[in-house]
Amino acid sequence: MGVHACPQLTPFYRLTTIQLSARLRGVISRLYPLALGNFAVGTGMFVTAGLVIPISRDLAISPAAAGQLMTVFALAYAVLSPLLAALTARMSRRWLLMLALGVFVVGNTLTALAPTYPLVLATRVLAAAGAAMFTPTASAVANALAEPARRGRALALVMGGLTVSSAIGVPLGTWLGASSWRATIWLVVGLGVIGFIGVLAAVPDLRLPSAGGLRDRFAPLGDPRVLSVLATQLLMFAAAFTAYTYLGSLLDLPLPAVLWAWGIGGIVGNQVGGRFTDKYGPRVMVFTGLVGATVLMALIPVANLSLPIALVWAFVWGSIGWMIAPAQQYRTVAAVPDNVPVGLGLLSSAQYVGLFVAGITGGLALEWYGRAGVVVLSAGLGLVTVLFTLATYRGSSSSVSVPVR
């Protein structure tokens, strides 16, 4: 029976629609500060790839050594994420997010002031500790606040801060760092402060169910489904960032422009990936992204032919590569629905172990075999990721709900 046949139902129908719309806007308004925090974290992490040459000149080290700043950050993140998660398990998520950004800001402030290479490396560990607390917590909060049907899009919005950082923060920081890489780090400090204010103003005070002890933090590793997701995460980031970290040494073209195109593609891919994950499931998105990214990494020499080709290539690579992120988070949430913060923390650790592997192996490949070695290694790792995931993926995940306390 239509609404016109029952006029008395019309006010209720309209009220319900207004309430749902207001609730959706309220959730989204709480997610934007989390995305902003990830924007600061992503800029601080990824911008070092665009500062390899300026840092190497200022500190009198090789480009490969300068690339290890990202490697040290990634290793510290991977190691500290589960440890800090255990120590902060009983904290309010809001206060934990603010603590994380505070540590991140202090770490980057010290980086900007450090006069020598060893001190710069040490300060990257402190900055990584802040990032290790923030990003998994932000994803867990987004997952808890969103309805199951919109969970992929909520995760995509929050993780979109990382992709937007690669589109805006990294190119801007690379351009600014051409004259002073320390000025770029001060920019990261400012972004972290803005993110802190946003969390303080808009994120609600909530607690999430979580394992207590450190041993419980690693309990999900006994689940083959979790191990499969984590291994895919590690391998795909190792493949992508083997090339990305040393992109300035692989291309004879304006690096900020290429990084900008890659980041814009990442924004598009992340948002499309979130919606398509909700619509088609994570399996389709994972394999589409892995296969496409592997092909594009093998085409780096083609991208170097001219700037227009490189811009198109970088845009497509960024969009396809970041398309996978919401699907991987969705898989993790489905595998550990009763302990989402732990699962997402392990996923982030696997991601940063992959970045660590990329920094080490990519640097060695560049020094020993030059550009060709980096391209072959990157594409080869991509192929290994595809084959491994084909062998271990055991089906798509269903929607799950996460209680909030």
Side-chain angles (χ1 to χ4, degrees), residues 52-79:
V52 165
I53 301 303
I55 290 173
S56 66
R57 291 172 179 168
D58 180 54
L59 300 179
I61 56 177
S62 69
Q68 300 316 304
L69 292 179
M70 181 179 288
T71 303
V72 169
F73 187 105
L75 179 62
Y77 186 114
V79 172

Side-chain angles (χ1 to χ4, degrees), residues 18-215:
I18 293 172
Q19 287 175 334
L20 289 174
S21 178
R23 179 182 178 185
L24 179 59
R25 288 195 302 269
V27 170
I28 291 175
S29 68
R30 294 172 177 179
L31 298 182
Y32 276 122
L34 304 179
L36 181 60
N38 271 334
F39 178 80
V41 169
T43 301
M45 169 64 185
F46 299 132
V47 78
T48 53
L51 301 176
V52 165
I53 301 303
I55 290 173
S56 66
R57 291 172 179 168
D58 180 54
L59 300 179
I61 56 177
S62 69
Q68 300 316 304
L69 292 179
M70 181 179 288
T71 303
V72 169
F73 187 105
L75 179 62
Y77 186 114
V79 172
L80 292 174
S81 183
L83 298 176
L84 293 173
L87 291 174
T88 60
R90 297 184 182 278
M91 286 185 65
S92 157
R93 298 299 92 178
R94 178 171 178 261
W95 286 104
L96 178 56
L97 289 168
M98 290 191 292
L99 172 64
L101 285 176
V103 172
F104 179 77
V105 165
V106 171
N108 280 284
T109 299
L110 294 176
T111 298
L113 298 173
T116 65
Y117 180 62
L119 287 176
V120 171
L121 285 176
T123 63
R124 299 318 291 157
V125 174
L126 183 60
M133 289 187 285
F134 184 84
T135 299
T137 303
S139 294
V141 170
N143 183 78
L145 293 176
E147 298 175 355
R150 297 181 178 272
R151 189 153 290 148
R153 276 165 281 189
L155 291 170
L157 174 59
V158 171
M159 292 306 292
L162 295 178
T163 56
V164 172
S165 74
S166 64
I168 299 175
V170 172
L172 176 61
T174 301
W175 172 78
L176 184 63
S179 57
S180 172
W181 68 269
R182 296 179 190 275
T184 298
I185 302 302
W186 284 117
L187 171 65
V188 172
V189 171
L191 293 173
V193 171
I194 295 173
F196 180 95
I197 295 172
V199 170
L200 176 64
V203 175
D205 190 9
L206 73 155
R207 298 178 184 273
L208 301 178
S210 175
L214 185 59
R215 180 177 298 179

Side-chain angles (χ1 to χ4, degrees), residues 17 35 62 65 123 128 138 162 167 196 213-214 226 261 270 273 306 315 324 340 351 354 364 382 388 391 393 396:
T17 302
S62 69
T123 63
L162 295 178
F196 180 95
L214 185 59
V226 175
N270 185 69
S306 70
F315 175 85
I324 312 171
V340 172
Q351 170 180 322
L364 292 176
F388 172 83
Y393 202 127
S396 60

Side-chain angles (χ1 to χ4, degrees), residues 40 156 198-199 221 233 256-257 261 264 334 387:
V199 170
L221 296 178
Q233 190 82 349
I264 292 295
L387 296 176

Side-chain angles (χ1 to χ4, degrees), residues 218-256:
F218 295 98
L221 296 178
D223 188 336
R225 296 175 304 162
V226 175
L227 285 177
S228 172
V229 177
L230 299 183
T232 294
Q233 190 82 349
L234 189 160
L235 288 170
M236 75 180 191
F237 271 86
F241 280 84
T242 292
Y244 182 88
T245 303
Y246 300 99
L247 201 57
S249 299
L250 302 180
L251 301 176
D252 302 311
L253 302 167
L255 184 59

